[in-house]
Amino acid sequence: MHASSSRPLAHPVARARRRLGGWLDHLAPRGCALCGTALAPRAFPAFCTGCLLDLPGARRARCGRCGQPTDAPAPACTACAAEAPSALDATLAAADYAPPLDRVVTALKFGRQLPLARPLGELLAARWAGALQGEPLDCLVPVPLAPGRLAQRGFNQSLEMARAMSAALAHAFEPLPVQPRRLSRLRETPPQAALGLAERRTNLLGCFACSGRLDGLRIGLVDDVMTTGSTVGEAARVLKAAGATRVVALVAARAP
Ligand SMILES: [Zn+2]
Ligand SMILES: [Zn+2]
């Protein structure tokens, strides 16, 4: 009975596993995203304690506005206090874009290792729960990719991170839904860091579009890496033009 029924079961089980996708992963054993150390099935975020404590810049003080390291925790660094950098109201950076965390980001984006979106999203969830719990958000909006880039990569890493963040918080907080189609990217742009000052000003103009109104919403804008801050700044400007009252950048890694 057992021998004859075990084989036909294989197909439905495989189908269910595919359908349920990440849900089953929550129950399966897994390893630290950096060192592979086995973690408890529901460990959150998916880093071992040692790697979590050693994440680059994870414990340093940051400017609440732009996320750059500061000597002491401050709502705004000297530069932000002198001139607000953009439409962004706040930035939560989980760590610095430096080894070994940069390896995870690179493997996710360029190595197409989609499962790595989950530890990064969970890392954001843990940081947000710890740092910004007093400041509720209404939804998560991922920074979109242009259609060509999306087709090339097959997924948007920021959307996958936002989904993982939302799922990680689902049991402990009010639902924080992901709005994957609110913001779209009309064209790809060269990295700001590669451009001169004059080109930087016009590079991103008109590259994002927002569908529908976001009146009164407080938005968590999710991205994997924040470098100059211009991309999330421009995205925040477009979200606010659509009525958002507050936009907080949630980034896994901040380039110092
Ligand atoms: Zn580890
Ligand atoms: Zn600042």
Side-chain angles (χ1 to χ4, degrees):
M1 178 72 187
H2 283 269
S4 61
S5 62
S6 63
R7 227 175 152 73
L9 273 178
H11 270 100
V13 167
R15 262 207 313 274
R17 183 173 278 275
R18 269 202 306 277
R19 266 195 212 131
L20 295 170
W23 186 81
L24 278 178
D25 292 342
H26 279 278
L27 304 174
R30 55 181 181 153
C32 167
L34 277 167
C35 71
T37 297
L39 299 173
R42 289 172 188 274
F44 157 73
F47 293 93
C48 71
T49 312
C51 286
L52 202 55
L53 290 172
D54 284 346
L55 284 180
R59 284 176 288 174
R60 64 171 49 165
R62 291 179 188 276
C63 166
R65 194 84 193 248
C66 71
Q68 285 290 20
T70 50
D71 293 333
C77 65
T78 321
C80 290
E83 186 186 5
S86 65
L88 269 186
D89 295 292
T91 297
L92 178 72
D96 284 340
Y97 187 65
L101 188 66
D102 57 354
R103 277 203 330 255
V104 179
V105 175
T106 308
L108 166 62
K109 267 160 82 165
F110 304 111
R112 296 188 195 177
Q113 293 188 35
L114 185 54
L116 291 175
R118 187 168 154 211
L120 293 178
E122 290 182 348
L123 182 62
L124 277 181
R127 291 279 190 265
W128 178 80
L132 288 179
Q133 200 184 337
E135 187 197 293
L137 297 171
D138 297 301
C139 61
L140 298 177
V141 171
V143 171
L145 296 178
R149 179 69 55 86
L150 182 62
Q152 187 185 39
R153 189 167 294 160
F155 61 88
N156 174 3
Q157 71 281 355
S158 300
L159 169 58
E160 300 305 325
M161 285 171 53
R163 283 180 174 147
M165 179 179 174
S166 180
L169 294 169
H171 304 293
F173 296 89
E174 290 289 304
L176 193 51
V178 181
Q179 301 255 341
R181 280 177 285 275
R182 282 308 191 123
L183 195 63
S184 56
R185 189 160 188 156
L186 306 177
R187 59 185 166 83
E188 209 47 64
T189 51
Q192 288 289 101
L195 300 175
L197 207 57
E199 293 166 302
R200 282 188 188 190
R201 288 200 195 96
T202 55
N203 183 36
L204 292 161
L205 277 179
C207 81
F208 292 113
C210 186
S211 74
R213 297 293 305 170
L214 300 168
D215 293 311
L217 293 183
R218 299 156 298 184
I219 292 174
L221 182 61
V222 178
D223 208 359
D224 53 342
V225 182
M226 181 168 169
T227 308
T228 63
S230 312
T231 305
V232 281
E234 175 61 12
R237 189 187 67 75
V238 171
L239 293 171
K240 284 200 163 165
T245 49
R246 193 163 170 83
V247 180
V248 177
L250 305 167
V251 296
R254 181 69 162 107

